[in-house]
Amino acid sequence: MSDQYSEQAKIFKALCDEKRLRILELLRSGEKCACVLVEILGMPQSSLAYHMKVLCDSGIVDCRQEGKWTHYRISRDGSRHAETLLRSVTTPVQALGSEDTFTCTKQC
Amino acid sequence: MSDQYSEQAKIFKALCDEKRLRILELLRSGEKCACVLVEILGMPQSSLAYHMKVLCDSGIVDCRQEGKWTHYRISRDGSRHAETLLRSVTTPVQALGSEDTFTCTKQC
DNA sequence: ATAATATATCGAAAAATATCGATTTGAGGG
DNA sequence: CCCTCAAATCGATATTTTTCGATATATTAT
């Protein structure tokens, strides 16, 4: 029940940090290796790893292991899922649940 | 420059909290008064006010004053803007900036 | 004016996230 | 097997966000 919301929140949390938005911008031009991201962003390796974990856990970014290197790229499916989710949480519905017929004790 | 990211982050931050996702779900069925939301959610008035401020500041929710009551509803424009933003931050581009031709000192 | 009511704001404390050096893990190379 | 290097994880700390009672503001009714 409330797990539904935390699952949804996880996806948007991935997008709500400035550093991660910067990382996504870099990934828009194509797959990047962690070491490249660290150099471009001038960020400690452990900090980058933290943000990449958040992005990957959300499904928006995919990672690919190649020997000792890890390559990251934007996931088409994950992005589409996020977009669909955003639309669904902001799209009006006609259907009425019990809460929609809720009558306030005040006059509003 | 980095203000661009914080502006974008603000919009996604509005969506990354479970309580706010619940509030949005309630607003999907139509405009609601603050007092109704407080009653349905069983949340202290000041807590609701905080979340409504975050939602309104992001542009995703609009508020309408009517006497002593405040009515909230999902903003069509704000939602569309958020959706467009999400798509833009996750859509690949061909164009190359200087960072895209970055050559790593390693062999990756 | 005074009182009552709805909501916004304040402020302090709690909870969640982010930061980053140190350590561990895991994949080659010699 | 040992060494090196890339990346993940740990752990302690810093920062940000959330919570919520108390107070302020604003509107309406008496």
mmCIF file of all heavy atoms in Angstrom, chain B residues 6-31:
data_model
loop_
_atom_site.group_PDB
_atom_site.id
_atom_site.type_symbol
_atom_site.label_atom_id
_atom_site.label_comp_id
_atom_site.label_asym_id
_atom_site.label_seq_id
_atom_site.Cartn_x
_atom_site.Cartn_y
_atom_site.Cartn_z
ATOM 1 N N SER B 6 19.398 23.131 -10.130
ATOM 2 C CA SER B 6 18.614 23.225 -8.895
ATOM 3 C C SER B 6 17.165 23.550 -9.223
ATOM 4 O O SER B 6 16.237 23.125 -8.521
ATOM 5 C CB SER B 6 19.223 24.241 -7.931
ATOM 6 O OG SER B 6 18.816 25.543 -8.251
ATOM 7 N N GLU B 7 16.976 24.281 -10.314
ATOM 8 C CA GLU B 7 15.617 24.569 -10.761
ATOM 9 C C GLU B 7 14.918 23.286 -11.206
ATOM 10 O O GLU B 7 13.753 23.038 -10.879
ATOM 11 C CB GLU B 7 15.682 25.570 -11.936
ATOM 12 C CG GLU B 7 14.385 26.298 -12.211
ATOM 13 C CD GLU B 7 13.884 27.078 -11.007
ATOM 14 O OE1 GLU B 7 14.710 27.616 -10.232
ATOM 15 O OE2 GLU B 7 12.665 27.126 -10.833
ATOM 16 N N GLN B 8 15.657 22.473 -11.931
ATOM 17 C CA GLN B 8 15.110 21.192 -12.387
ATOM 18 C C GLN B 8 14.874 20.261 -11.200
ATOM 19 O O GLN B 8 13.831 19.604 -11.108
ATOM 20 C CB GLN B 8 16.076 20.522 -13.371
ATOM 21 C CG GLN B 8 16.288 21.326 -14.645
ATOM 22 C CD GLN B 8 17.278 20.667 -15.591
ATOM 23 O OE1 GLN B 8 17.994 19.741 -15.222
ATOM 24 N NE2 GLN B 8 17.315 21.154 -16.824
ATOM 25 N N ALA B 9 15.854 20.241 -10.296
ATOM 26 C CA ALA B 9 15.749 19.353 -9.141
ATOM 27 C C ALA B 9 14.512 19.681 -8.312
ATOM 28 O O ALA B 9 13.845 18.791 -7.782
ATOM 29 C CB ALA B 9 17.016 19.453 -8.287
ATOM 30 N N LYS B 10 14.207 20.963 -8.226
ATOM 31 C CA LYS B 10 13.059 21.397 -7.427
ATOM 32 C C LYS B 10 11.770 20.713 -7.896
ATOM 33 O O LYS B 10 10.925 20.322 -7.079
ATOM 34 C CB LYS B 10 12.909 22.912 -7.512
ATOM 35 C CG LYS B 10 11.831 23.453 -6.604
ATOM 36 C CD LYS B 10 11.985 24.935 -6.365
ATOM 37 C CE LYS B 10 11.456 25.749 -7.519
ATOM 38 N NZ LYS B 10 11.448 27.210 -7.210
ATOM 39 N N ILE B 11 11.645 20.573 -9.185
ATOM 40 C CA ILE B 11 10.441 19.948 -9.741
ATOM 41 C C ILE B 11 10.362 18.473 -9.377
ATOM 42 O O ILE B 11 9.314 17.984 -8.954
ATOM 43 C CB ILE B 11 10.412 20.163 -11.270
ATOM 44 C CG1 ILE B 11 10.163 21.643 -11.542
ATOM 45 C CG2 ILE B 11 9.340 19.290 -11.910
ATOM 46 C CD1 ILE B 11 10.290 22.046 -12.972
ATOM 47 N N PHE B 12 11.492 17.782 -9.482
ATOM 48 C CA PHE B 12 11.471 16.362 -9.143
ATOM 49 C C PHE B 12 11.392 16.144 -7.641
ATOM 50 O O PHE B 12 10.833 15.144 -7.182
ATOM 51 C CB PHE B 12 12.687 15.658 -9.743
ATOM 52 C CG PHE B 12 12.702 15.681 -11.245
ATOM 53 C CD1 PHE B 12 13.736 16.273 -11.943
ATOM 54 C CD2 PHE B 12 11.650 15.115 -11.971
ATOM 55 C CE1 PHE B 12 13.737 16.308 -13.334
ATOM 56 C CE2 PHE B 12 11.643 15.146 -13.365
ATOM 57 C CZ PHE B 12 12.685 15.733 -14.044
ATOM 58 N N LYS B 13 11.923 17.086 -6.873
ATOM 59 C CA LYS B 13 11.833 16.970 -5.419
ATOM 60 C C LYS B 13 10.384 16.959 -4.968
ATOM 61 O O LYS B 13 10.020 16.292 -4.007
ATOM 62 C CB LYS B 13 12.565 18.131 -4.738
ATOM 63 C CG LYS B 13 14.021 17.813 -4.476
ATOM 64 C CD LYS B 13 14.768 18.967 -3.823
ATOM 65 C CE LYS B 13 16.252 18.619 -3.735
ATOM 66 N NZ LYS B 13 17.137 19.778 -3.743
ATOM 67 N N ALA B 14 9.565 17.707 -5.681
ATOM 68 C CA ALA B 14 8.147 17.737 -5.323
ATOM 69 C C ALA B 14 7.540 16.341 -5.405
ATOM 70 O O ALA B 14 6.607 16.018 -4.670
ATOM 71 C CB ALA B 14 7.403 18.702 -6.237
ATOM 72 N N LEU B 15 8.083 15.527 -6.294
ATOM 73 C CA LEU B 15 7.494 14.207 -6.549
ATOM 74 C C LEU B 15 8.167 13.082 -5.787
ATOM 75 O O LEU B 15 7.729 11.941 -5.863
ATOM 76 C CB LEU B 15 7.579 13.904 -8.046
ATOM 77 C CG LEU B 15 6.837 14.868 -8.972
ATOM 78 C CD1 LEU B 15 7.235 14.617 -10.418
ATOM 79 C CD2 LEU B 15 5.336 14.713 -8.788
ATOM 80 N N CYS B 16 9.205 13.385 -5.032
ATOM 81 C CA CYS B 16 10.000 12.291 -4.487
ATOM 82 C C CYS B 16 9.684 11.990 -3.030
ATOM 83 O O CYS B 16 10.459 11.340 -2.357
ATOM 84 C CB CYS B 16 11.487 12.561 -4.697
ATOM 85 S SG CYS B 16 12.196 13.704 -3.533
ATOM 86 N N ASP B 17 8.545 12.447 -2.560
ATOM 87 C CA ASP B 17 8.143 12.156 -1.185
ATOM 88 C C ASP B 17 6.813 11.397 -1.197
ATOM 89 O O ASP B 17 5.882 11.775 -1.915
ATOM 90 C CB ASP B 17 8.005 13.463 -0.409
ATOM 91 C CG ASP B 17 7.552 13.221 1.018
ATOM 92 O OD1 ASP B 17 8.420 13.028 1.889
ATOM 93 O OD2 ASP B 17 6.324 13.204 1.249
ATOM 94 N N GLU B 18 6.752 10.366 -0.385
ATOM 95 C CA GLU B 18 5.580 9.487 -0.394
ATOM 96 C C GLU B 18 4.297 10.210 -0.011
ATOM 97 O O GLU B 18 3.232 9.982 -0.582
ATOM 98 C CB GLU B 18 5.815 8.300 0.556
ATOM 99 C CG GLU B 18 7.137 7.615 0.245
ATOM 100 C CD GLU B 18 7.486 6.504 1.222
ATOM 101 O OE1 GLU B 18 6.550 5.901 1.792
ATOM 102 O OE2 GLU B 18 8.693 6.245 1.425
ATOM 103 N N LYS B 19 4.417 11.111 0.934
ATOM 104 C CA LYS B 19 3.229 11.861 1.356
ATOM 105 C C LYS B 19 2.710 12.722 0.205
ATOM 106 O O LYS B 19 1.521 12.855 -0.009
ATOM 107 C CB LYS B 19 3.570 12.771 2.548
ATOM 108 C CG LYS B 19 4.178 12.030 3.730
ATOM 109 C CD LYS B 19 3.164 11.745 4.807
ATOM 110 C CE LYS B 19 3.721 10.867 5.916
ATOM 111 N NZ LYS B 19 4.765 11.531 6.692
ATOM 112 N N ARG B 20 3.644 13.323 -0.504
ATOM 113 C CA ARG B 20 3.219 14.192 -1.607
ATOM 114 C C ARG B 20 2.633 13.399 -2.765
ATOM 115 O O ARG B 20 1.714 13.868 -3.445
ATOM 116 C CB ARG B 20 4.399 15.067 -2.065
ATOM 117 C CG ARG B 20 4.774 16.105 -1.019
ATOM 118 C CD ARG B 20 5.708 17.169 -1.549
ATOM 119 N NE ARG B 20 7.052 16.742 -1.798
ATOM 120 C CZ ARG B 20 8.034 16.747 -0.901
ATOM 121 N NH1 ARG B 20 7.805 17.170 0.334
ATOM 122 N NH2 ARG B 20 9.241 16.343 -1.220
ATOM 123 N N LEU B 21 3.119 12.192 -2.963
ATOM 124 C CA LEU B 21 2.525 11.348 -4.010
ATOM 125 C C LEU B 21 1.098 10.976 -3.623
ATOM 126 O O LEU B 21 0.199 10.932 -4.458
ATOM 127 C CB LEU B 21 3.376 10.084 -4.222
ATOM 128 C CG LEU B 21 4.721 10.326 -4.924
ATOM 129 C CD1 LEU B 21 5.576 9.065 -4.903
ATOM 130 C CD2 LEU B 21 4.506 10.801 -6.354
ATOM 131 N N ARG B 22 0.907 10.756 -2.337
ATOM 132 C CA ARG B 22 -0.439 10.455 -1.841
ATOM 133 C C ARG B 22 -1.361 11.664 -2.032
ATOM 134 O O ARG B 22 -2.518 11.526 -2.434
ATOM 135 C CB ARG B 22 -0.349 10.080 -0.360
ATOM 136 C CG ARG B 22 -1.668 9.899 0.339
ATOM 137 C CD ARG B 22 -2.194 8.493 0.169
ATOM 138 N NE ARG B 22 -3.461 8.301 0.877
ATOM 139 C CZ ARG B 22 -4.647 8.353 0.285
ATOM 140 N NH1 ARG B 22 -4.731 8.576 -1.011
ATOM 141 N NH2 ARG B 22 -5.746 8.166 0.982
ATOM 142 N N ILE B 23 -0.833 12.837 -1.737
ATOM 143 C CA ILE B 23 -1.621 14.060 -1.915
ATOM 144 C C ILE B 23 -1.993 14.232 -3.387
ATOM 145 O O ILE B 23 -3.148 14.522 -3.720
ATOM 146 C CB ILE B 23 -0.818 15.293 -1.419
ATOM 147 C CG1 ILE B 23 -0.677 15.250 0.107
ATOM 148 C CG2 ILE B 23 -1.503 16.595 -1.864
ATOM 149 C CD1 ILE B 23 0.340 16.228 0.679
ATOM 150 N N LEU B 24 -1.042 14.014 -4.268
ATOM 151 C CA LEU B 24 -1.322 14.141 -5.696
ATOM 152 C C LEU B 24 -2.418 13.174 -6.117
ATOM 153 O O LEU B 24 -3.305 13.516 -6.899
ATOM 154 C CB LEU B 24 -0.053 13.874 -6.520
ATOM 155 C CG LEU B 24 0.921 15.035 -6.660
ATOM 156 C CD1 LEU B 24 2.147 14.602 -7.441
ATOM 157 C CD2 LEU B 24 0.252 16.231 -7.338
ATOM 158 N N GLU B 25 -2.357 11.971 -5.567
ATOM 159 C CA GLU B 25 -3.377 10.985 -5.922
ATOM 160 C C GLU B 25 -4.763 11.500 -5.543
ATOM 161 O O GLU B 25 -5.734 11.342 -6.285
ATOM 162 C CB GLU B 25 -3.095 9.654 -5.231
ATOM 163 C CG GLU B 25 -4.037 8.563 -5.676
ATOM 164 C CD GLU B 25 -3.595 7.200 -5.171
ATOM 165 O OE1 GLU B 25 -3.704 6.963 -3.953
ATOM 166 O OE2 GLU B 25 -3.144 6.381 -5.990
ATOM 167 N N LEU B 26 -4.840 12.144 -4.386
ATOM 168 C CA LEU B 26 -6.128 12.698 -3.962
ATOM 169 C C LEU B 26 -6.563 13.831 -4.891
ATOM 170 O O LEU B 26 -7.746 13.981 -5.192
ATOM 171 C CB LEU B 26 -6.045 13.203 -2.515
ATOM 172 C CG LEU B 26 -5.907 12.119 -1.446
ATOM 173 C CD1 LEU B 26 -5.623 12.729 -0.086
ATOM 174 C CD2 LEU B 26 -7.159 11.250 -1.398
ATOM 175 N N LEU B 27 -5.600 14.611 -5.334
ATOM 176 C CA LEU B 27 -5.940 15.756 -6.197
ATOM 177 C C LEU B 27 -6.303 15.322 -7.619
ATOM 178 O O LEU B 27 -6.923 16.082 -8.363
ATOM 179 C CB LEU B 27 -4.771 16.748 -6.241
ATOM 180 C CG LEU B 27 -4.436 17.458 -4.926
ATOM 181 C CD1 LEU B 27 -3.297 18.442 -5.133
ATOM 182 C CD2 LEU B 27 -5.659 18.156 -4.345
ATOM 183 N N ARG B 28 -5.922 14.104 -7.977
ATOM 184 C CA ARG B 28 -6.238 13.632 -9.334
ATOM 185 C C ARG B 28 -7.745 13.610 -9.585
ATOM 186 O O ARG B 28 -8.204 13.829 -10.693
ATOM 187 C CB ARG B 28 -5.695 12.222 -9.562
ATOM 188 C CG ARG B 28 -4.191 12.181 -9.710
ATOM 189 C CD ARG B 28 -3.722 10.778 -9.958
ATOM 190 N NE ARG B 28 -4.117 10.308 -11.290
ATOM 191 C CZ ARG B 28 -4.167 9.040 -11.657
ATOM 192 N NH1 ARG B 28 -3.864 8.090 -10.790
ATOM 193 N NH2 ARG B 28 -4.530 8.720 -12.884
ATOM 194 N N SER B 29 -8.506 13.386 -8.524
ATOM 195 C CA SER B 29 -9.955 13.325 -8.715
ATOM 196 C C SER B 29 -10.594 14.707 -8.620
ATOM 197 O O SER B 29 -11.813 14.830 -8.665
ATOM 198 C CB SER B 29 -10.580 12.380 -7.697
ATOM 199 O OG SER B 29 -10.352 12.856 -6.402
ATOM 200 N N GLY B 30 -9.777 15.719 -8.492
ATOM 201 C CA GLY B 30 -10.316 17.076 -8.500
ATOM 202 C C GLY B 30 -9.790 17.937 -7.371
ATOM 203 O O GLY B 30 -9.193 17.448 -6.408
ATOM 204 N N GLU B 31 -10.026 19.216 -7.494
ATOM 205 C CA GLU B 31 -9.599 20.207 -6.514
ATOM 206 C C GLU B 31 -10.060 19.819 -5.103
ATOM 207 O O GLU B 31 -11.164 19.330 -4.930
ATOM 208 C CB GLU B 31 -10.221 21.537 -6.923
ATOM 209 C CG GLU B 31 -9.683 22.714 -6.169
ATOM 210 C CD GLU B 31 -10.320 24.006 -6.663
ATOM 211 O OE1 GLU B 31 -11.549 24.180 -6.477
ATOM 212 O OE2 GLU B 31 -9.599 24.837 -7.235
#
